[in-house]
């Protein structure tokens, strides 16, 4: 196999265990989110402060440990996947590298933006003020997004591109995308009706604006679908 030569005769290490990676990402987001809540107002968490900090640290540490474990002990490729890797076109391999580069670039840009936001908040509000702590709480989510982009780039290193799909795989994807499109359209329309009803029941204009947002998403979905159908009808 050509890929084996690049690894000194050894087979590819495999790809990250997706279930472990997903669980680690969820725990990391939960831990960092709880940290943000504690920084903003510890009274929002109905636990003693020492216990809240302990839970926050344990969640974050467990999430990072699971993410690292998913790469340290990856799932090995089976025979079919090894054959697919051997026949992978170079163009697709270049595309995978380009996507990884974009992921890492997005992670770096997001992290840099978060650091600049923190510096701007410190200069504007003062480094020890309560307003600055609230500002940092909102900026914390920027670092969470940066971690997600970083994980996406790392996943790209372990999940190798596969050859083009056959007709059956293409048909499955088309049917799945069509079903997903119908389900999302139904969810947006139902959520819009629910939010408008709730806005009248509770006399809250904010709920009405949320419902209008769902309605706008539904209308945009319909318009994009119509333009896409006309485009492919003329091109194919």
């Amino acid at each position: 196999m050509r890929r084996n030569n690049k690894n000194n005769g050894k087979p590819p290490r495999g790809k990250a265990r997706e279930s472990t990676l997903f669980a680690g990402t969820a725990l990391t987001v939960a831990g960092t989110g709880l940290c943000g809540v504690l920084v903003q107002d510890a009274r929002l968490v109905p636990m003693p402060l020492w216990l809240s900090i302990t839970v926050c640290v344990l969640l974050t540490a467990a999430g990072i440990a699971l993410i690292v474990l998913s790469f340290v002990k990856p799932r090995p490729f089976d025979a079919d996947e090894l054959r697919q890797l051997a026949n992978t076109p170079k163009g697709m391999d270049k595309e995978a590298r380009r996507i990884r580069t974009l992921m890492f670039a997005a992670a770096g840009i997001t992290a840099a933006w978060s650091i600049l936001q923190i510096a701007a908040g410190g200069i504007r509000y003062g480094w020890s003020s309560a307003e600055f702590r609230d500002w940092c709480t909102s900026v914390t989510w920027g670092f969470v997004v940066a971690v997600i982009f970083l994980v996406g780039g790392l996943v790209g290193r372990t999940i190798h591109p596969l050859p083009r799909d056959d007709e059956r795989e293409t048909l499955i994807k088309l049917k799945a995308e069509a079903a997903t499109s119908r389900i999302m359209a139904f969810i947006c329309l139902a959520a819009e009706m629910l939010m408008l009803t709730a806005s009248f029941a509770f006399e809250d204009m904010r709920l009405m604006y949320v419902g209008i947002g769902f309605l706008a998403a539904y209308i945009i979905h319909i318009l994009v679908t119509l333009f896409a159908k006309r485009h492919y009808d003329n091109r194919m």
Side-chain angles (χ1 to χ4, degrees):
M1 241 187 292
R2 181 176 301 175
R3 288 183 179 272
N4 291 353
N5 295 331
K6 295 181 180 181
N7 294 317
N8 297 323
K10 298 180 180 180
R13 293 187 64 247
K15 55 186 178 181
R17 297 181 184 272
E18 296 178 0
S19 57
T20 306
L21 181 62
F22 176 79
T25 304
L27 289 177
T28 303
V29 172
T32 53
L34 181 59
C35 288
V37 174
L38 292 177
V39 172
Q40 184 174 13
D41 191 352
R43 295 172 298 178
L44 296 175
V45 182
M47 290 188 299
L49 181 59
W50 67 270
L51 183 59
S52 300
I53 295 175
T54 303
V55 172
C56 175
V57 172
L58 289 177
L59 286 175
T60 305
I64 295 174
L66 288 177
I67 291 175
V68 173
L69 183 63
S70 66
F71 293 103
V72 172
K73 294 185 178 181
R75 181 182 70 81
F77 292 111
D78 56 28
D80 291 336
E81 289 173 329
L82 288 175
R83 284 195 296 271
Q84 289 176 326
L85 289 175
N87 298 323
T88 300
K90 290 184 178 179
M92 296 184 66
D93 201 13
K94 292 180 180 179
E95 180 67 15
R97 288 197 298 270
R98 187 184 70 85
I99 293 175
R100 290 199 305 268
T101 303
L102 291 177
M103 285 287 186
F104 289 131
I109 292 172
T110 307
W113 174 82
S114 300
I115 294 173
L116 289 176
Q117 287 289 95
I118 292 175
I123 295 172
R124 178 177 180 180
Y125 300 111
W127 299 96
S128 59
S129 64
E131 291 84 358
F132 174 68
R133 289 194 294 271
D134 292 340
W135 180 268
C136 288
T137 301
S138 61
V139 176
T140 301
W141 294 105
F143 290 105
V144 176
V145 175
V147 170
I148 293 175
F149 279 127
L150 180 62
V151 170
L154 294 175
V155 171
R157 288 176 178 269
T158 57
I159 301 179
H160 296 273
L162 299 178
R164 294 182 179 179
D165 300 324
D166 55 15
E167 294 182 1
R168 179 178 178 277
E169 292 293 332
T170 302
L171 181 61
I172 291 175
K173 285 186 177 182
L174 290 175
K175 286 184 174 294
E177 291 173 358
T180 303
S181 176
R182 290 192 295 267
I183 292 172
M184 291 305 299
F186 173 78
I187 290 175
C188 288
L189 189 59
E192 182 266 337
M193 296 174 63
L194 179 63
M195 290 294 103
L196 290 182
T197 303
S199 68
F200 288 118
F202 299 105
E203 297 182 354
D204 192 342
M205 295 297 293
R206 293 173 296 182
L207 296 177
M208 184 187 70
Y209 295 143
V210 175
I212 293 175
F214 280 110
L215 179 61
Y218 177 74
I219 294 174
I220 292 173
H221 171 77
I222 292 177
L223 293 176
V224 172
T225 302
L226 291 175
F227 281 117
K229 285 183 177 179
R230 174 167 295 185
H231 171 76
Y232 287 108
D233 184 58
N234 295 331
R235 296 288 297 273
M236 299 179 68

